[in-house]
Amino acid sequence: MSGKKRLRKQCNLQEFFRKKVAKPTEDVTDNPSLSMKVGETSVPAKEATGFRSTAAAEIHADDDTTTARASTHERTSHGQSGGSVSGDKTDTGKDTTTPDSTSATPRSAGNTDTAVPQPERPPMRACEDDISREKACDAECCSGRESPFQPKDDAVILSTKKRVGNKNEFRSFQVQWYDKFPWLHLCATRRSIFCFTCMSAISMNIIAGNTQVEASFTDKGFDNWKKALSAFQRHQQSDLHREVVFKKMQAGHGVDRLLEHHGSILHSTRRQMLLKQLDCLRFLLRQGLAIRGHKEIEENLRQLLMLVAIDNKDTRTWLDNKDYLSPVIVNEMIQLIGHSVLRDLLSDIREAGMFAIMADETSDLSNKEQLSICIRWVDSGFKIHEDLIGFVHVIHTDAETLSKAIKDVLIRCALPLSQCRGQGYDGAANMMGHLRGVAARIRQEEPAAIHVHCWAHCLNLCLQEASKSCHIIRDSLCLVSEIAKLIRASPKRSAVFLKLKDQVSPDAPGLRPLCPTRWTVRTGALLGILSNYDVLIDTMAQINDECHDEYGTRAKGLLNQLEKFHTLFGLKMCYLIFSTTEELSMLLQNKKTTLDEASRAAKVLARFLKHQREEATFAGFYQGVRDSCMRVVGAEPCLPRARAPPRRLDDGGPAHRYATPEDYYRHLYCEAIDSHR
């Protein structure tokens, strides 16, 4: 109904009530003696006036149903005989009113139930809601439910049994009706059936005002089981039920809602797949594995995602789309992961308050000079940390360039130089210069940043110089390097060595090359030679017999050296010195080592080397080497061939001669120990 028609109808109803209702009300108000009486009960005039205001309120309702109900209520209150109040005009034009203020129950079977109108009565829709709430069930079957209550217990079903007519015939609710009409809601208290869909729609106030409401399925309840199926079918096809179902479907399954729902599911799925890719990428980064391969299908990241896709179909779709697998995006992910880790690390360092700088420059495989910068700091639990901040590419290695690079990194990391309390570098002139070195430049800005030369680097330099000055150590290390190069450079020679090793000493360690710069990690290479000494002799002999090129010649020369006591003595001597110094080096490189522990460890090493210089200690060492040489090659120690001293050193006196081989090797032994003390 349009707005104009509705307004016109309301005006007509107002005029009708003004003529029909206003006059009896004024009569009652003006003459108190005309109180409407029925037997012994009377209604005061003010209640009649209240009835008029109630009728006027009902006229101003917005929907047609309220207007129609107001008219019906007016006719019932004024036009029915035997009711509470009757106001129909007779042929003579007089009104006959019969009020009843004490009871709303009918006085005869033919009378219509009416209630005395109360003052300030709310609109009809609100009144119906109040009545529904008064009649509503507060039991578990009806209160606070989001789905219809459909019990199947025999006790509940039998409680709905009802006599049909005057016959001795009983009928009850049938459980199979739930399947045909899913909206059925059984109230166990009132033993009646309701439409849960329509009830919830009324409570949410989503029903149009002109829609006729079936009270039997929304308010009173339905219990006529004889005509249940036809009533259920009729209600399911009613305008009210179809409107509610349509509005609920439109609210939950509209095009916009479907698109929004599908988009949210798609976003959630893609977000999960992106997180899985980040997890795979983080695993590869943590293990130091390459991300990409020679072909796209052979990439480690793609292969790892394909492994995950075995149990996750969404991952297969993610791989087919290739949205986030391009090199640019993967590199950006790696950069973001690195930045996230670095931010968390720097946050902890700033919280600590003080730190120390450790830096060193070196060339990478691409022949670029890289400056590595580490931060040493102590947390609140007094736990020491040494964390790598990153690498800085520097063009020059002078002190000015390196100091600027270090300060630039500190500025980028928001680490103030005023909180720096230490510096740790190697002994190079550009780092250690007391006037213009890196340490001196930083101390000019922050005097509290004390410079300490790396103790592990100091130990490495000491071993390097001592080994070069002692001939027996130098020659033994060169022999180890030549043997490792000869065997490891050829798969054929490596196969010969491994075959003989499996036959003689399968549990012995293999051959390892010497580190060209770190002298404190050469124990493994020396141990590989000493553990496979007899195997190496057989290997060199076989290579000499089978190879007729330069490698056969080199194998012959190495075989001659291995069969000498002098070689075995030098190798044993190297292992004795480097094994102890390596333990000290590992202790100095431990980030938890304190200054006191490092000092005491250095003193312990000095005492050990001093003890090795004693006569008894040398005697035991010499005898052990002699027994090993006799068991492996069967060679006895001997003196070297006597040589005339150089003319510039010859003073004309007799040349020094060792009495026994033991004296000669005692001299070499003490020389090596003293050089490393």
Side-chain angles (χ1 to χ4, degrees):
M1 179 182 293
S2 62
K4 292 183 178 180
K5 292 182 179 180
R6 180 179 298 177
L7 181 60
R8 188 181 301 112
K9 186 174 182 179
Q10 291 179 0
C11 294
N12 295 336
L13 288 173
Q14 290 178 6
E15 182 67 20
F16 173 78
F17 275 99
R18 186 179 63 80
K19 294 179 180 181
K20 294 289 185 179
V21 179
K23 185 175 181 180
T25 304
E26 293 174 358
D27 296 340
V28 173
T29 305
D30 296 336
N31 190 0
S33 62
L34 297 178
S35 298
M36 295 172 288
K37 296 182 179 180
V38 178
E40 304 249 340
T41 306
S42 63
V43 178
K46 60 180 180 180
E47 294 187 3
T49 306
F51 171 73
R52 184 182 63 177
S53 62
T54 303
E58 293 172 357
I59 293 173
H60 289 285
D62 293 336
D63 52 72
D64 297 340
T65 304
T66 304
T67 305
R69 289 178 181 176
S71 302
T72 305
H73 184 72
E74 186 272 334
R75 289 194 301 270
T76 304
S77 301
H78 295 278
Q80 298 293 338
S81 61
S84 310
V85 178
S86 62
D88 289 348
K89 287 188 177 181
T90 60
D91 296 338
T92 59
K94 296 182 179 180
D95 296 338
T96 304
T97 58
T98 308
D100 188 356
S101 62
T102 59
S103 175
T105 57
R107 301 188 182 274
S108 62
N111 294 339
T112 303
D113 295 345
T114 58
V116 176
Q118 299 295 331
E120 302 298 330
R121 181 180 176 184
M124 180 62 69
R125 178 60 64 95
C127 180
E128 289 180 354
D129 293 343
D130 293 339
I131 295 174
S132 299
R133 282 194 293 270
E134 292 176 0
K135 296 181 180 181
C137 177
D138 295 333
E140 182 181 1
C141 59
C142 297
S143 59
R145 298 194 61 86
E146 297 181 359
S147 60
F149 182 67
Q150 298 181 348
K152 298 183 180 180
D153 299 341
D154 294 339
V156 179
I157 300 302
L158 291 177
S159 65
T160 61
K161 183 181 294 186
K162 185 178 179 181
R163 183 188 296 273
V164 179
N166 297 326
K167 301 179 182 179
N168 192 16
E169 181 181 356
F170 295 88
R171 294 195 181 188
S172 62
F173 180 80
Q174 303 298 316
V175 178
Q176 58 268 23
W177 292 344
Y178 290 143
D179 300 332
K180 189 173 182 180
F181 305 99
W183 45 266
L184 292 178
H185 172 81
L186 176 60
C187 179
T189 304
R190 290 175 282 187
R191 303 172 186 176
S192 302
I193 282 293
F194 296 86
C195 176
F196 185 82
T197 305
C198 296
M199 288 175 59
S200 60
I202 292 175
S203 63
M204 291 186 295
N205 197 19
I206 62 174
I207 302 178
N210 58 353
T211 304
Q212 185 177 1
V213 179
E214 296 185 58
S216 58
F217 286 97
T218 58
D219 185 16
K220 298 179 181 180
F222 181 85
D223 57 358
N224 188 2
W225 312 126
K226 183 176 181 180
K227 301 180 180 180
L229 291 177
S230 59
F232 294 163
Q233 189 69 29
R234 184 172 60 255
H235 174 75
Q236 187 167 278
Q237 299 297 329
S238 64
D239 295 339
L240 172 67
H241 190 84
R242 295 172 65 180
E243 178 184 355
V244 172
V245 173
F246 174 75
K247 287 185 176 180
K248 286 191 174 183
M249 291 180 61
Q250 188 178 19
H253 302 282
V255 176
D256 55 342
R257 294 293 181 89
L258 290 176
L259 291 176
E260 182 181 357
H261 180 66
H262 178 72
S264 62
I265 294 178
L266 182 61
H267 292 166
S268 176
T269 303
R270 294 180 66 83
R271 187 180 297 109
Q272 294 177 2
M273 295 304 101
L274 181 60
L275 291 177
K276 287 186 178 294
Q277 179 174 335
L278 290 174
D279 291 339
C280 296
L281 189 59
R282 186 175 60 178
F283 170 78
L284 296 175
L285 295 174
R286 175 62 182 83
Q287 299 302 118
L289 301 176
I291 306 299
R292 308 189 67 83
H294 295 288
K295 297 181 180 179
E296 184 178 359
I297 194 62
E298 296 178 357
E299 297 176 358
N300 289 337
L301 179 59
R302 180 174 290 275
Q303 289 294 326
L304 193 56
L305 287 173
M306 291 175 64
L307 182 63
V308 176
I310 296 177
D311 300 326
N312 194 330
K313 296 181 180 179
D314 295 332
T315 309
R316 169 58 60 183
T317 306
W318 177 268
L319 287 172
D320 295 339
N321 292 336
K322 302 179 182 180
D323 291 338
Y324 293 88
L325 294 175
S326 65
V328 177
I329 296 180
V330 171
N331 290 336
E332 183 179 357
M333 290 180 181
I334 296 174
Q335 187 177 12
L336 293 176
I337 292 174
H339 289 170
S340 177
V341 174
L342 185 59
R343 278 194 297 268
D344 296 341
L345 178 61
L346 293 176
S347 177
D348 296 338
I349 296 175
R350 296 189 203 100
E351 202 174 312
M354 298 181 184
F355 60 91
I357 306 171
M358 295 187 297
D360 190 17
E361 74 278 358
T362 184
S363 299
D364 58 9
L365 293 177
S366 60
N367 202 25
K368 292 182 180 180
E369 193 71 25
Q370 301 281 356
L371 177 66
S372 60
I373 300 178
C374 297
I375 300 295
R376 180 182 175 94
W377 57 284
V378 182
D379 59 14
S380 58
F382 300 100
K383 184 178 180 181
I384 302 174
H385 301 267
E386 290 182 359
D387 298 306
L388 176 66
I389 298 300
F391 295 91
V392 181
H393 173 56
V394 291
I395 301 177
H396 304 288
T397 58
D398 57 286
E400 183 180 2
T401 303
L402 297 180
S403 60
K404 287 183 178 179
I406 293 175
K407 289 187 289 186
D408 180 69
V409 170
L410 294 179
I411 292 174
R412 291 175 181 271
C413 297
L415 296 176
L417 189 60
S418 59
Q419 296 181 356
C420 181
R421 293 296 179 267
Q423 305 177 67
Y425 312 119
D426 57 13
N430 58 347
M431 308 297 287
M432 288 285 294
H434 65 285
L435 293 178
R436 306 299 297 173
V438 173
R441 290 173 180 269
I442 292 181
R443 289 202 66 180
Q444 289 176 1
E445 300 185 23
E446 180 53 47
I450 301 174
H451 171 255
V452 177
H453 188 190
C454 179
W455 283 19
H457 187 261
C458 290
L459 179 61
N460 187 75
L461 294 177
C462 292
L463 286 176
Q464 182 178 355
E465 294 298 326
S467 301
K468 290 181 178 180
S469 61
C470 184
H471 294 180
I472 188 171
I473 301 296
R474 180 196 61 191
D475 297 341
S476 299
L477 293 177
C478 290
L479 178 65
V480 172
S481 179
E482 288 296 327
I483 292 175
K485 289 179 181 179
L486 179 64
I487 295 179
R488 292 168 59 89
S490 171
K492 182 179 180 180
R493 294 190 291 271
S494 297
V496 173
F497 169 76
L498 293 176
K499 181 178 180 180
L500 295 174
K501 177 179 175 295
D502 293 339
Q503 296 175 359
V504 178
S505 56
D507 297 333
L511 299 179
R512 297 178 59 183
L514 285 176
C515 181
T517 56
R518 301 178 62 187
W519 289 70
T520 55
V521 292
R522 301 193 170 192
T523 306
L526 292 169
L527 183 61
I529 297 295
L530 293 175
S531 301
N532 300 283
Y533 201 84
D534 49 350
V535 178
L536 288 173
I537 293 176
D538 297 338
T539 302
M540 296 303 169
Q542 185 172 347
I543 294 175
N544 181 38
D545 296 338
E546 295 179 356
C547 298
H548 304 284
D549 49 10
E550 58 173 335
Y551 298 105
T553 305
R554 291 171 57 184
K556 178 61 176 178
L558 294 175
L559 177 61
N560 294 335
Q561 294 187 43
L562 291 173
E563 291 177 346
K564 294 180 180 180
F565 175 84
H566 183 82
T567 302
L568 185 58
F569 183 87
L571 293 174
K572 291 279 188 178
M573 190 69 195
C574 288
Y575 184 76
L576 174 65
I577 295 175
F578 282 99
S579 60
T580 54
T581 54
E582 183 173 345
E583 293 181 3
L584 176 61
S585 178
M586 297 298 294
L587 179 65
L588 294 176
Q589 295 181 55
N590 190 352
K591 61 184 179 182
K592 298 181 180 180
T593 302
T594 62
L595 179 62
D596 181 65
E597 292 175 349
S599 178
R600 286 190 286 110
K603 293 178 181 179
V604 168
L605 177 61
R607 287 197 299 268
F608 173 78
L609 294 177
K610 183 178 179 181
H611 174 70
Q612 296 298 320
R613 201 180 187 284
E614 296 178 358
E615 184 65 27
T617 306
F618 167 74
F621 177 80
Y622 179 80
Q623 188 62 36
V625 176
R626 184 176 180 179
D627 294 342
S628 298
C629 186
M630 288 294 297
R631 185 178 63 257
V632 177
V633 296
E636 286 284 350
C638 59
L639 291 172
R641 183 172 61 87
R643 296 180 181 179
R647 185 172 298 180
R648 59 186 179 84
L649 300 177
D650 189 7
D651 56 355
H656 176 72
R657 296 285 188 273
Y658 293 100
T660 60
E662 184 176 356
D663 295 338
Y664 172 71
Y665 285 105
R666 181 184 293 107
H667 172 74
L668 297 179
Y669 180 84
C670 294
E671 181 184 4
I673 294 295
D674 293 341
S675 63
H676 289 83
R677 286 178 60 188

